[in-house]
Each structure stands twice: as C-alpha cells, then as structure tokens.
Amino acid sequence: MPIRNEAIADAFEEIADLLEIEEANPFRVRAYRNAARTIRGLGTELVEMVARDEDLTALPGIGEDLAAKVRDMLESGKMSALEKLHESVPASLESLLRLPGLGPKRVKTLYSRLQIENLSQLARAARDGSLSQLPGFGRKIEQRILETIAARRGSEKRWMRSAAAAAAEPLVDYLTEIPGVKRVIIAGSYRRGKETVGDLDVLVTAAKGEAIAQRLADYPETRNVVARGSTRATVVLRDGLQVDLRVVPEASFGAALHYFTGSKAHNIQVRRRGQQRGLKINEYGVFRNDRRIAGKTEKQVYRSVGLPWIPPELREGGVEIDAAAEGALPDLVEPGDLRGDLHVHSGDSDGRATIEEMVAGARDAGLRYMAITDHSRHLTVAHGLDAARVRKQCARIDRLNEGLRGFRVLKGIEVDILEDGTLDLPNGVLAELDVVVGAVHSHLGLSRRKQTDRILRAMDHPAFTMLAHPTGRLLGKREPCDLDMERVVRHAAECGCFLELNSQPARLDLLDIHCRLARDAGVLVSINSDAHSVKDFRNLSLGIAQARRGWLTKRQVLNSRPLRELRKLLRRR
DNA sequence: GCCGTTTTCGGCCCGACTGTTTTCAGTCG
C-alpha cells in the first residue's frame, strides 16, 4: 500500500505541532507547515514523482531536508524524524492543542508540570483545581477547558459552504442595518470559495467599532461571546458556527479585506514582498515610514507590491503570486459564463419535477440548454430507466423541443458504471443519446487499481461523454474513493471525453486540485448542477467557485460553449 | 527548515484581545 500525499502532509503537520511544544525555532515550525500545505495542494502523488525520479526540491517550501524526509517515509512507510520526536513528546499532546486557549506553551506546561498527556487527564486536573495553580493558567482558562470538554468541542468542525451561506446572509442583513455601518462583507475562506469553512470572517467598515461588536453580541442568533474589543469580536452562533467580526475605517477597506480574506500563507507572501520594497502592510493599509500610501482598495494593495489584483479563489499561498508577477493569472470562469447544464434529473427517476418544470428552472437560471440525464436501471432505488423507458423519454423530449424557442433539451442518461466497468444499458440505446454521463454508485470501496481500471474501461465505451462526480466523496459523510486521478485525467484526454464538476453542496467533485490536472491535460470540465428539483440550479454557483479555485477559465469549461460548439465537441467521440 | 533585485548566511508578516500579570506572554486569525 503506497503512502499517499495526505499521510505525508499529516506527518509534517504533526512534526510542526510537536516542535512547537518543544519551543523550536518558529520559522522551522512554519517550514513544516508550508511543506504540508504544498503537498496537500499537489495533484500528483509524491510516490509517483519519486518513481519518475523528479526533483522534489523544485516544489515550493521543500528543500533537501524535507525532500529526504518524504523519501524516507515513502520507502519505510514511516517518518523516522517523527518517530524520534515521539520519544520526547507524546503524540497525544497534539489533541490538547486543538482546545481553545491552549497553545504550545501551555500544553508544554501541562506536560512538564503535571504530566498531562490527554483530554481525560486534563479534565481531571481542571476539576480538582490543580490546573489553575500552574503558571500562565488561571480560573478562567480552567473553566473554559471544562466547558469545552463537556461540550465535546475542540474537534474542528467545518461547515459546508451552503450551510455557512444560510447563516451568513441574515447576519449580513442584520449588520448592514446598524447606523454608521458602511459595508459588510464576508471574507475568509468563504470569500476564497472553499468548499467548507471553519468560521465566518465578517468585515465591517464604520467609524466606531464598539457599538457594532455590541450589536453582534445582541444578535438573536448569538449563543455566546468569546471575545469583544473595540475593533474585533468573536461570537458563537446557536448552531455552533463561529463568527469573527472585524471593524475598520472606510479608508482601510481594501487592506482589511485583503488581510481578512487570507489565506494566511498568501498574506505572508504579499507582506514579504512589501517588506522587500520597504513597505509595511497591515489591515489598515500599506505604509512607507508610517505614511499610508494605499489601503482603500485591494487593487491598491496589490499594486503597491507590483502585482495585479489576484482573485480570492487563487489566494492559497502557492504559485499564484509568481503567476501574478509574470502576468500569467488565468481569466477565471464566471457565473454568467455557463450556457447549459449537462446533468439534470426529472421525475422519471428520482427528480422531483417534470422535464417541463426543469426547463423553466434552467431558463430562469439563464441557461440555453440542458441535458436530461435520469438514472439507469441498475439504480432501482431511484427508479432507474431501462432502454424502453429511455426511448419513450427521448420521444417526449423531441416533442417538447418542437415547442421550445431559444432553449434546447438534450437527450441523456446518468448511466451506472458497473463493477466491471461496463455500462448499465445496451450499446444501441446509448448510441441514440446526446449525452452519456457515466457514474459510479456502487462498489465504492474497490482497490485503487480496480477502481481506476473500472473507470478507464467505462471511458473506452464509444458513447461515453463524461464521468460524473469522479471521486464520489460526500463532505462530512464519505471520503473520496481510492482513485488514480492522474490516470483518469490522462485517459480522458486520450478518449476525448470530459470530466464533471458536480455542484451539489456535499459533492463539489471534481476537487480543485483535480481541476488543475484536467486543465493541464487539456480535458474540458463540465460544471453541472445534478439538479433534482428546480431550485437546485442555484447550486451551479458553488460549482463555479470550485472551478475558479481550480484555475479554470471559461474556455476550459465544456458547458460555457454555445450549443452549436458543444454539439461538435460531443460528436468528436 | 527554506530561500535569494539585501543570495549561501541571516533573515523569515503583523496586530488585537484575554487573562494573568503589574508590564506582557500566549493565543488567535
């Protein structure tokens, strides 16, 4: 079983945590974290890069030392540097760092003074009062630790973007109403279009901050106030979502938005560029010798360090700064660019609306065409269609199209890819369709080799148009299945088929790193809603955000093409 | 531990809030 990137990144993160507790050089700690981030963002497995004898030190943040540690782990299955650390620092201390208020210093104190290594020992010490006697601890921290353990928080929960949006919209409305408030904007990972967010970062511009922090504390949905000052406040909403508020004057809007949007790694890189130019960049502006020279807009901030404005979705502290400096930023796909939707269900299988109703919904969403792709017979729970029912549906679609102006319904199917890689309907009927969306709905646990071979075989079918929700992951519920995405992408390029980016809130599958693989291989991506009801077309905006994080331009998105052009691409198979 | 329009050593982003202090360390974003 080869070691995956995820495991190597985890090992580096763990080393960073333990080194922090050991009070190592903070920049050394950061080096491990940077490397972990680089590795998580790779579309390519390190094990394959090493097999191809590629130079790992070419990766940002990875030098000779860390490259050697990667090779060590790939060869031996474990990282000896981490094993060695465990001799002096127990691995379980990591779990203590996750508690609010406990950082490396206090965790070290816990371990060295009271030999506390885990949550239950910590709870015991908090209950008997010995915790508050330690230097740097007091009654308040002791109390908070007890509360946190009782509520079983501390395990970092992340929220689906759609759930965060449901909480964010009324909050923005509420804050906007406050007298003196000029602007309210959600920044942070939400603005960067991440598929999940850990909290809501709310930026407000106004002259005075205290009143606004107070109003946030008074917000009916606020459960408790964690911190409150004159320019920032943190509260937890009833549903458990944390909100970080930041208030700055209007003149600092751009600098604050930049700072509060992050990512942290991106900000560090931008501030470093500032430093090299003799500038200091903070959330209030860009300063030369204490004189503010920029800050009203983000564009000004970037210009001050010689860069064009960088879209938030790219700000992960990876290669976007270099790309910007070279004038090589992509012109990212935008919501208005989608012309159609190639994965839509109707009541003929498990949808909740008629084809006619879905047409109306798609038109309302600004689309000009869509493919009806109901499930195939194997998916009996979804009333999957057999060949006869597919043909009947096609005849109805033909009649429907005769009455439509300025909109076209394409005939399609979401056909199950069976365990052996064959498709769940006879070749004859598949050949009659405009769009064949292949999907894996069973045997998700196959080995990497078998799963990949299965999908490659399905792609070889001459009628196969695109692979639906490629990894099958469901956020918070199901991990991605074990799949060699590099082979899948290469094969898609060879066969001339496409990959779906499924826009359902819990799917958002292709992942962003796989979008980049597709882009590099010249494989077009179709951003589909997989709508089961009329309102589901709204989810396309989530897919767009994901595609933007994957650096996709309009030209790289299949369903941004006008119908005529799309038909040509579909026929090419 | 990484990295280079201050290059192979000496730097490495910056500020707010809390709680424990009595001038500030620790944590957080």
Side-chain angles (χ1 to χ4, degrees):
Chain A
M1 187 71 177
I3 305 284
R4 298 265 186 287
N5 289 355
E6 208 61 20
I8 298 168
D10 286 347
F12 279 163
E13 291 279 9
E14 195 178 346
I15 290 179
D17 282 344
L18 300 181
L19 282 177
E20 242 185 333
I21 294 169
E22 285 206 326
E23 296 177 83
N25 177 348
F27 299 105
R28 187 171 162 226
V29 173
R30 188 198 285 168
Y32 280 99
R33 297 204 195 284
N34 286 342
R37 203 189 55 250
T38 293
I39 291 168
R40 282 187 214 287
L42 288 178
T44 307
E45 290 292 335
L46 286 166
V47 66
E48 282 154 27
M49 292 182 69
V50 167
R52 290 194 294 258
D53 209 22
E54 288 177 39
D55 179 17
L56 300 184
T57 65
L59 298 169
I62 299 194
E64 291 297 340
D65 185 279
L66 294 185
K69 288 189 167 75
V70 167
R71 285 192 297 268
D72 168 38
M73 184 155 179
L74 289 175
E75 281 160 22
S76 70
K78 50 190 201 263
M79 199 173 281
S80 10
L82 179 58
E83 309 268 302
K84 189 129 185 277
L85 258 179
H86 282 157
E87 290 169 15
S88 53
V89 196
S92 55
L93 287 184
E94 234 194 337
S95 64
L96 302 183
L97 284 174
R98 309 275 169 263
L99 294 177
L102 287 192
K105 296 283 167 60
R106 292 198 179 112
V107 167
K108 184 181 185 184
T109 305
L110 288 172
Y111 179 57
S112 60
R113 302 288 280 260
L114 298 178
Q115 290 77 51
I116 289 172
E117 295 183 23
N118 55 45
L119 283 179
S120 56
Q121 290 168 344
L122 180 68
R124 206 174 309 137
R127 276 194 296 271
D128 71 21
S130 54
L131 208 62
S132 56
Q133 303 306 311
L134 292 173
F137 287 78
R139 284 279 166 211
K140 290 238 177 163
I141 288 180
E142 190 176 71
Q143 197 54 39
R144 195 161 158 205
I145 284 172
L146 279 173
E147 283 166 13
T148 306
I149 292 176
R152 293 184 190 188
R153 272 176 275 145
S155 58
E156 61 271 37
K157 159 153 192 179
R158 293 193 65 86
W159 299 72
M160 279 198 289
R161 189 176 163 69
S162 55
E169 284 158 20
L171 175 62
V172 169
D173 291 344
Y174 173 83
L175 293 172
T176 307
E177 296 289 304
I178 300 173
V181 166
K182 283 226 162 73
R183 306 196 223 207
V184 180
I185 182 165
I186 311 286
S189 52
Y190 185 86
R191 182 164 180 249
R192 298 202 310 278
K194 295 265 296 188
E195 54 204 23
T196 61
V197 300
D199 59 14
L200 281 184
D201 297 308
V202 186
L203 175 66
V204 171
T205 61
K208 291 193 308 249
E210 286 93 344
I212 293 150
Q214 179 60 48
R215 292 295 289 270
L216 177 62
D218 295 340
Y219 183 50
E221 290 297 312
T222 294
R223 183 172 70 198
N224 63 297
V225 179
V226 179
R228 189 169 72 202
S230 61
T231 67
R232 65 186 312 168
T234 299
V235 305
V236 178
L237 302 183
R238 282 185 208 288
D239 56 11
L241 181 62
Q242 180 169 308
V243 175
D244 291 323
L245 171 78
R246 192 74 209 247
V247 185
V248 297
E250 181 67 17
S252 298
F253 175 70
L257 183 59
H258 179 256
Y259 152 74
F260 220 23
T261 297
S263 66
K264 187 173 170 170
H266 175 88
N267 287 353
I268 288 174
Q269 291 187 24
V270 170
R271 287 175 174 187
R272 251 173 97 167
R273 274 182 80 93
Q275 220 177 25
Q276 287 161 359
R277 288 166 171 71
L279 303 171
K280 185 175 73 171
I281 301 176
N282 59 29
E283 54 266 55
Y284 298 108
V286 180
F287 298 86
R288 186 186 299 282
N289 305 326
D290 292 334
R291 194 172 63 85
R292 174 156 56 197
I293 61 163
K296 186 96 175 70
T297 66
E298 281 193 325
K299 206 171 168 182
Q300 283 183 355
V301 174
Y302 282 109
R303 195 168 49 208
S304 73
V305 293
L307 296 175
W309 182 80
I310 299 176
E313 293 90 342
L314 303 184
R315 300 182 195 171
E316 288 303 322
V319 296
E320 76 276 8
I321 305 260
D322 287 341
E326 293 160 13
L329 287 177
D331 188 10
L332 298 179
V333 60
E334 291 177 18
D337 290 339
L338 293 191
R339 306 294 285 266
D341 188 340
L342 298 177
H343 186 167
V344 176
H345 292 271
S346 79
D348 289 351
S349 65
D350 61 349
R352 287 182 294 283
T354 63
I355 297 176
E356 289 79 0
E357 287 164 337
M358 294 308 274
V359 168
R363 297 190 89 143
D364 285 347
L367 303 178
R368 309 292 296 273
Y369 59 84
M370 77 173 176
I372 288 293
T373 55
D374 276 310
H375 289 288
S376 63
R377 59 190 179 184
H378 182 256
L379 215 55
T380 49
V381 287
H383 309 105
L385 278 59
D386 59 17
R389 288 180 67 210
V390 170
R391 289 197 168 101
K392 273 171 87 174
Q393 188 186 60
C394 287
R396 276 169 47 218
I397 290 174
D398 283 336
R399 282 198 298 279
L400 176 61
N401 273 326
E402 285 169 19
L404 288 177
R405 290 290 166 270
F407 193 90
R408 190 78 184 176
V409 183
L410 301 177
K411 290 169 281 192
I413 191 80
E414 179 180 3
V415 65
D416 262 57
I417 297 173
L418 303 177
E419 188 178 2
D420 62 359
T422 57
L423 302 182
D424 182 35
L425 284 172
N427 297 343
V429 67
L430 292 176
E432 294 164 26
L433 298 170
D434 301 309
V435 177
V436 172
V437 178
V440 165
H441 292 119
S442 61
H443 302 98
L444 297 167
L446 293 185
S447 72
R448 185 178 179 87
R449 165 62 70 82
K450 280 189 177 159
Q451 195 70 272
T452 307
D453 287 347
R454 169 194 194 183
I455 284 169
L456 263 44
R457 180 168 178 204
M459 286 177 156
D460 285 331
H461 192 289
F464 191 97
T465 311
M466 74 177 74
L467 178 64
H469 42 72
T471 76
R473 69 100 176 259
L474 292 173
L475 287 167
K477 279 196 192 143
R478 191 166 73 208
E479 290 299 307
C481 66
D482 201 359
L483 193 59
D484 186 339
M485 279 303 293
E486 283 180 275
R487 276 181 72 202
V488 170
V489 168
R490 271 202 307 274
H491 205 68
E494 286 159 15
C495 301
C497 63
F498 309 100
L499 296 175
E500 172 181 78
L501 195 174
N502 188 296
S503 303
Q504 283 192 27
R507 288 198 183 272
L508 292 174
D509 180 13
L510 282 183
L511 312 195
D512 49 10
I513 57 175
H514 298 148
C515 285
R516 272 169 256 163
L517 283 181
R519 185 193 59 153
D520 294 344
V523 173
L524 300 191
V525 172
S526 186
I527 303 175
N528 298 334
S529 67
D530 194 0
H532 286 68
S533 74
V534 172
K535 65 173 173 45
D536 289 347
F537 289 109
R538 281 189 298 208
N539 291 335
L540 286 170
S541 65
L542 300 172
I544 294 275
Q546 176 99 337
R548 290 170 64 86
R549 290 181 55 78
W551 292 57
L552 296 186
T553 66
K554 179 178 175 180
R555 289 300 292 172
Q556 287 151 350
V557 174
L558 176 67
N559 50 328
S560 73
R561 308 292 174 101
L563 184 60
R564 182 188 297 263
E565 215 177 310
L566 173 83
R567 282 199 183 282
K568 268 190 220 157
L569 286 164
L570 293 179
R571 268 199 299 269
R572 191 176 296 170
R573 285 236 56 191

